[in-house]
Amino acid sequence: MGKLALGVAVGVAVATCAVAGVVVGRRLRSRRKWRRVVGVLRELEESCETPVGRLKQVVDAMAVEMHAGLASEGGSKLKMLLTFVDRLPNGLDFLASNLICCPRFVVCFCVVCVVLFVNLLFGFVVRSEIGTYYALDLGGTNFRVLRVQLGGTRSSILSKDVKRQRIPQHLMTSTSEDLFDFITSKLKQFVEQEETVSEAAQSRTRELGFTFSFPVKQISIRSGFLIRWTKGFAIEDMIGCEIIERLQAALMKKGLDMCATVLVNDTVGILALGHYYDADTVAAVKIGTGTNACYMERADAIIKCQGLLTSSGAMVVNMEWGNFWSSHLPRTTYDIEMDMESPNPNDQGFEKMISGMYLGDIFRRVLLRMCEESDVFGPVSSKLLIPFVLEMPLMAAMHEDDTPDLKVVAAILREKLEIQDVPLKARRLVVKVCDVVTRRAARLAAAGIVGILKKIGRDGTGGITGSRSRSDAKMRRTVVAVEGSLYTSYMMFREYLHEALNEILGEDVAQHVVLRTTEDGSCVGAALLAALHSSSSSSSEGLHRRR
Ligand code: ADP
Ligand code: MG
C-alpha cells in the first residue's frame, strides 16, 4: 500500500514537472521570440538615429551639393534646374505684410509706394495679375484642374474652383498620348461645365499654367524637356520630349482653344502662391507623394549658366532635392532593399526616406521582418509580401491612434494586412515602428530646409562659408512655403519637423523662420505665374536659352 502511494506520488510529481517544464519552455521560447521582435525594433531605431549633430552634417552636405549643382551641369546629384521664373507674383498682402511687419511705418509706406510706382511703370503687376486663368497639375497621386479669377494688384484671389482626381494607375505606365488624352479630356469637361466665367473671358483664348512635377530641363518659362520620370510614372516615349508641345497638341485634338503660358514644377507654384501672400517667402517645399524644394537664387550664383540676365537679378531654382544623397543620411537595410527593388535604383534617395509614396513600404518591410523572426503576429500574412500594400494615410492613422487599446492599429492590421488578433503589446510595437520611420523622415526634411537657408545665408551662421559668427549675422524674417499631405495632414510628422528645425537652428534663429502652409499652391501658383507671363503682358518670353 505504502509502495503504491509512493509510486503515485512520484508519478504525479514527474507529470507536474513535465507540465511545468513544457510551460516554462514555452514561456522561454515566447520570451525569446519577443526579444527577437524587440531586437528588430532596436536595430531599426539605431540605424534611423538622427541626433542634431548628424542633422547638421546633412545640412552642410545639402548646402555643398547645392553649390556643386549650380557650378556645373551634372556636378551633383542635385540637378538644381533653372525655371526661368525670375519674378514672383505680388498681391495686396505684399503691402499689408510690409506695413504690419515694419515698425517704421512711414518709411515702409514710402518704399512700398515707390515699388508700386515702378511696377505700374513697367506694367508688371497691374496688367498681368488680372482675369481668369487656368492650371493643370500633374505630378503626384492626384491630378488637378483649376480656374482662378484674379482681381489685380489690389485684391487677391476672387474665386477659385479646383477639381481633383486620382490618376488611374495604368496611365502612369502607358503612353504619353493616353496620359495627355486623359488630362485634356478632364480639362474639357471642366471648361464645359463653367458657368461663372464672363463673356469677355470666354471670347479670348484661355491661358493656363501647366504644373508638371518631374525633373524637366527648361529652356524658357514655357518650354521644357522631360529628363526622367519619378514617383512611379514610367512612360518611355515621353523622355526627352518637349512637354508643352505635347500638351498643346492634345488640347488641339480636343478642340480646346487654350494656350499653355507657363510650365512649372509644383514647388515653383507653391513658392509663387507663398510669395503672393507674403513677400518674405524665399523657398518652397513639397512633402507629399514625393518631395522636392525650390528657392530664389541670385543669378550670379548660378555659375553653370554664366551671363544669365534676369529682370530681378535672381531666378527660382528647382532643386529636385528628392535625388539628394549624402553618406550622412541614416540608411537601413530596408531602405537598401526597397531601393534595389524600385524602378529607379540609386535615384531619389532622399525622397525614398521622406515622402508618402515610400514610408508605408519601409514600415511594411520592417513588419515583415518581425513576422519572419517570430510568430508574435501569427503566421506571415501573404499581404505583407505585396510591395506598397500599405498606403501612407493608414500608417499615419496607426501612428496617431489614441484609443487606449489601439483599436485603429488592430483594425488596419486585420483589414489591410490580414493579420488577426495581435496582442496589445505587439500593437504598441507597430506604433513604435511608425514613429521611428516618420520621425527620421520629418527630421531629415527639416535638415533639408536648413540646408537651403544655409545656402542663401538665412540660417544665422553666415552662409556656406560660415565666415560670420552666429552673433553678428543679422537674421531677416524668412518664410518657407510648405505643402503636401505629410506636412498638412500628418500632425506627428509636422511636429517632428518643427522640433528638428528648432534643434538645428537654435531658438534665437528659429524664431525668424516661418513655415507657412499654402493651399493648392501647385496649381494656384501656376495660374498666378500664367497671369504674370500672360501673352497679353509684357516681357514674358524675354528669358530663354538654347537647349
Ligand atoms: P501629391 O500627390 O501631389 O504629392 P499630396 O500632397 O496630397 O499630393 O500628397 C499625397 C500623398 O500624401 C499620398 O500619396 C499619401 O502618401 C500621403 N498622404 C495623404 N493623406 C495623408 C495623411 N492623412 N497622412 C499622411 N500622409 C498622407
Ligand atoms: Mg502634385
Side-chain angles (χ1 to χ4, degrees):
M1 198 57 189
K3 273 188 184 166
L4 185 66
L6 185 65
V8 170
V10 169
V12 170
V14 169
T16 312
C17 283
V19 171
V22 171
V23 172
V24 170
R26 256 194 213 153
R27 281 221 180 123
L28 278 178
R29 266 201 305 280
S30 117
R31 241 183 240 164
R32 221 175 294 135
K33 281 177 190 166
W34 179 249
R35 270 209 299 272
R36 278 212 295 268
V37 180
V38 173
V40 174
L41 175 66
R42 294 280 167 264
E43 212 178 279
L44 177 75
E45 282 176 325
E46 265 170 38
S47 39
C48 285
E49 262 176 20
T50 47
V52 69
R54 174 173 264 193
L55 291 181
K56 285 183 179 171
Q57 287 172 321
V58 174
V59 168
D60 291 345
M62 179 67 83
V64 167
E65 289 299 315
M66 288 170 79
H67 236 278
L70 289 173
S72 63
E73 212 70 75
S76 162
K77 288 212 87 166
L78 286 183
K79 285 217 166 299
M80 306 299 285
L81 300 168
L82 302 190
T83 63
F84 296 87
V85 173
D86 60 343
R87 56 201 161 100
L88 293 165
N90 279 323
L92 177 64
D93 293 337
F94 165 75
L95 290 174
S97 66
N98 277 278
L99 289 175
I100 292 162
C101 295
C102 182
R104 294 179 187 173
F105 184 89
V106 179
V107 175
C108 187
F109 183 75
C110 295
V111 169
V112 169
C113 286
V114 171
V115 170
L116 250 190
F117 177 72
V118 171
N119 275 330
L120 278 165
L121 205 65
F122 289 100
F124 281 172
V125 175
V126 167
R127 282 180 49 201
S128 49
E129 286 174 43
I130 263 188
T132 303
Y133 290 88
Y134 296 79
L136 280 180
D137 176 8
L138 175 73
T141 309
N142 296 308
F143 160 70
R144 297 176 182 86
V145 190
L146 163 120
R147 178 182 54 246
V148 283
Q149 223 188 319
L150 305 173
T153 334
R154 301 205 132 255
S155 57
S156 47
I157 293 156
L158 301 179
S159 71
K160 172 179 120 176
D161 191 2
V162 195
K163 288 256 176 330
R164 295 180 181 78
Q165 178 153 359
R166 246 187 122 94
I167 307 266
Q169 190 76 29
H170 70 276
L171 288 182
M172 293 165 64
T173 50
S174 177
T175 62
S176 59
E177 194 175 353
D178 289 347
L179 181 68
F180 278 86
D181 270 350
F182 171 78
I183 58 175
T184 47
S185 66
K186 296 296 156 199
L187 180 62
K188 189 167 186 191
Q189 280 170 17
F190 184 77
V191 169
E192 282 170 354
Q193 286 161 6
E194 294 185 316
E195 287 162 8
T196 53
V197 177
S198 67
E199 264 179 39
Q202 280 179 10
S203 63
R204 67 179 176 87
T205 301
R206 292 175 169 88
E207 290 184 275
L208 78 100
F210 187 31
T211 310
F212 186 77
S213 312
F214 300 96
V216 167
K217 184 174 176 67
Q218 290 204 226
I219 54 166
S220 76
I221 182 90
R222 58 181 61 159
S223 179
F225 298 80
L226 176 65
I227 299 172
R228 61 186 160 83
W229 291 105
T230 54
K231 295 175 274 191
F233 280 75
I235 302 171
E236 279 306 309
D237 73 288
M238 258 304 272
I239 293 174
C241 288
E242 208 293 314
I243 295 144
I244 292 292
E245 265 174 27
R246 290 281 161 121
L247 175 65
Q248 231 29 89
L251 289 170
M252 212 153 88
K253 198 170 144 192
K254 287 273 176 307
L256 275 168
D257 182 18
M258 291 186 107
C259 173
T261 317
V262 294
L263 173 67
V264 294
N265 183 268
D266 54 355
T267 55
V268 178
I270 296 164
L271 179 58
L273 184 62
H275 193 270
Y276 187 64
Y277 287 129
D278 190 329
D280 287 334
T281 310
V282 294
V285 173
K286 170 87 192 253
I287 316 170
T289 305
T291 184
N292 190 15
C294 73
Y295 72 107
M296 196 51 116
E297 180 59 279
R298 291 188 341 263
D300 62 2
I302 308 174
I303 300 160
K304 66 182 172 186
C305 201
Q306 278 192 355
L308 184 67
L309 285 176
T310 72
S311 61
S312 63
M315 183 181 283
V316 176
V317 173
N318 166 16
M319 292 174 63
E320 286 298 331
W321 87 354
N323 204 33
F324 169 66
W325 188 252
S326 155
S327 59
H328 298 299
L329 291 172
R331 204 178 196 204
T332 67
T333 50
Y334 309 105
D335 297 304
I336 294 168
E337 283 164 15
M338 183 174 71
D339 180 52
M340 280 184 334
E341 291 166 28
S342 72
N344 54 349
N346 295 318
D347 277 337
Q348 302 297 108
F350 198 49
E351 176 165 271
K352 284 171 180 163
M353 287 185 166
I354 288 180
S355 75
M357 177 163 172
Y358 301 100
L359 298 194
D361 207 54
I362 298 175
F363 168 86
R364 175 190 72 85
R365 286 166 188 275
V366 180
L367 195 61
L368 176 61
R369 170 93 188 279
M370 286 179 161
C371 291
E372 285 166 350
E373 288 286 320
S374 117
D375 58 5
V376 171
F377 294 93
V380 178
S381 160
S382 59
K383 289 277 174 187
L384 272 181
L385 302 172
I386 305 172
F388 299 99
V389 69
L390 189 84
E391 288 162 351
M392 196 60 225
L394 294 180
M395 180 178 145
M398 290 198 288
H399 190 194
E400 296 184 331
D401 183 1
D402 56 2
T403 60
D405 51 352
L406 300 177
K407 270 200 194 72
V408 178
V409 175
I412 292 171
L413 291 178
R414 190 176 57 241
E415 283 153 31
K416 191 73 193 181
L417 300 175
E418 292 176 1
I419 305 175
Q420 317 285 342
D421 305 322
V422 179
L424 182 58
K425 68 172 184 176
R427 300 206 290 269
R428 289 205 183 101
L429 218 63
V430 167
V431 175
K432 192 68 198 155
V433 174
C434 297
D435 188 68
V436 174
V437 173
T438 293
R439 187 164 182 270
R440 178 186 69 162
R443 290 173 70 81
L444 291 179
I449 293 172
V450 183
I452 301 175
L453 300 185
K454 187 172 187 109
K455 172 69 184 72
I456 57 176
R458 300 268 192 134
D459 70 329
T461 66
I464 197 164
T465 53
S467 51
R468 273 180 295 160
S469 71
R470 197 169 262 257
S471 54
D472 51 43
K474 194 165 170 282
M475 264 307 286
R476 275 190 287 161
R477 181 172 176 272
T478 298
V479 181
V480 179
V482 189
E483 272 193 33
S485 294
L486 267 84
Y487 186 79
T488 57
S489 311
Y490 191 179
M491 201 182 64
M492 297 290 283
F493 184 96
R494 191 167 59 233
E495 279 178 9
Y496 280 141
L497 193 155
H498 288 172
E499 187 181 73
L501 208 64
N502 285 337
E503 274 178 44
I504 305 168
L505 289 171
E507 261 175 43
D508 285 353
V509 175
Q511 63 179 320
H512 299 282
V513 177
V514 180
L515 298 195
R516 181 172 177 155
T517 313
T518 47
E519 204 186 317
D520 292 323
S522 53
C523 40
V524 179
L528 283 168
L529 287 166
L532 200 59
H533 292 267
S534 159
S535 49
S536 56
S537 96
S538 55
S539 71
S540 59
E541 259 289 45
L543 202 61
H544 64 277
R545 73 166 184 201
R546 282 210 307 273
R547 195 184 165 189

